[in-house]
Amino acid sequence: MILVSACLLGETVRYDGQRLKTLPSFPEAWRSGDRMIPFCPEIAGGLSVPRLPAELTGCCGPDVILGRGEVRNTSGEDVTAAFLAGARAAVAAARHHGAVMAILKERSPSCGSRFIYDGRFTGTLRRGQGVTAALLVHHGIAVFCENRIENACRFLDRTAGQSMGSPL
Ligand code: SF4
């Protein structure tokens, strides 16, 4: 099973209530096999649609998990607790469904796995993980963004080979 950012599956869970204009092409086997679990950590953490945009304040997901960083929205409100609650719920959902991997939306303060915004609300990216991506990785769940689905497929093939005792 694969945990997937709900917005990547067309759900209107984004901060602005809008559906993503472009949705990724997921492998047919994932769709037909009902292998994708849609999940939005920000909704699971208690935030609503719409909501104010939020960014990590010059830190990365692991800093927030360790209590060394915050997430604030454009009014300056500290929404760290909701982001942490959503991240914990994502780990619980992955475990519940036996997911070994997640495909998460890049650049999101929750779901970003390689890039997030830098906390100044200027559209400037920095390298780093969002809060949910960081906590999933910490718990041994592989995370890929929507632009790396081929890498994710190779990871799943390797994982399947190992669980079957393949020499690969
Ligand atoms: S938190 Fe993740 S799933 Fe929810 S809208 Fe943002 S990117 Fe999509």
Side-chain angles (χ1 to χ4, degrees):
M1 299 297 285
I2 305 156
L3 201 71
V4 181
S5 291
C7 58
L8 292 177
L9 292 169
E11 294 192 15
T12 51
V13 289
R14 284 162 48 85
Y15 72 94
D16 58 5
Q18 298 296 305
R19 195 169 188 258
L20 278 174
K21 290 191 180 73
T22 309
L23 299 178
S25 298
F26 290 106
E28 184 49 35
W30 295 6
R31 287 190 182 281
S32 59
D34 275 339
R35 296 180 64 182
M36 296 190 286
I37 308 144
F39 192 86
C40 175
E42 292 177 23
I43 299 299
L47 298 173
S48 56
V49 179
R51 56 189 175 277
L52 291 174
E55 296 187 3
L56 280 67
T57 57
C59 58
C60 293
D63 303 313
V64 176
I65 291 164
L66 292 170
R68 298 177 189 154
E70 296 173 344
V71 189
R72 289 188 181 268
N73 64 24
T74 47
S75 341
E77 182 189 359
D78 185 342
V79 287
T80 309
F83 275 67
L84 283 170
R88 289 188 203 107
V91 172
R95 285 185 169 158
H96 176 75
H97 291 283
V100 295
M101 184 178 88
I103 305 289
L104 301 184
K105 175 82 183 71
E106 193 62 287
R107 303 182 180 191
S108 150
S110 291
C111 295
S113 55
R114 296 194 301 165
F115 295 98
I116 54 175
Y117 290 105
D118 73 354
R120 293 180 295 169
F121 296 100
T122 59
T124 308
L125 290 170
R126 60 172 289 171
R127 280 199 172 274
Q129 297 167 321
V131 182
T132 291
L135 196 62
L136 286 169
V137 169
H138 177 75
H139 285 276
I141 294 156
V143 173
F144 296 89
C145 71
E146 71 276 22
N147 304 317
R148 300 181 72 223
I149 289 177
E150 285 185 14
N151 302 60
C153 290
R154 284 196 287 274
F155 170 80
L156 277 187
D157 288 346
R158 280 200 308 275
T159 305
Q162 284 162 7
S163 66
M164 291 170 65
S166 158
L168 285 176

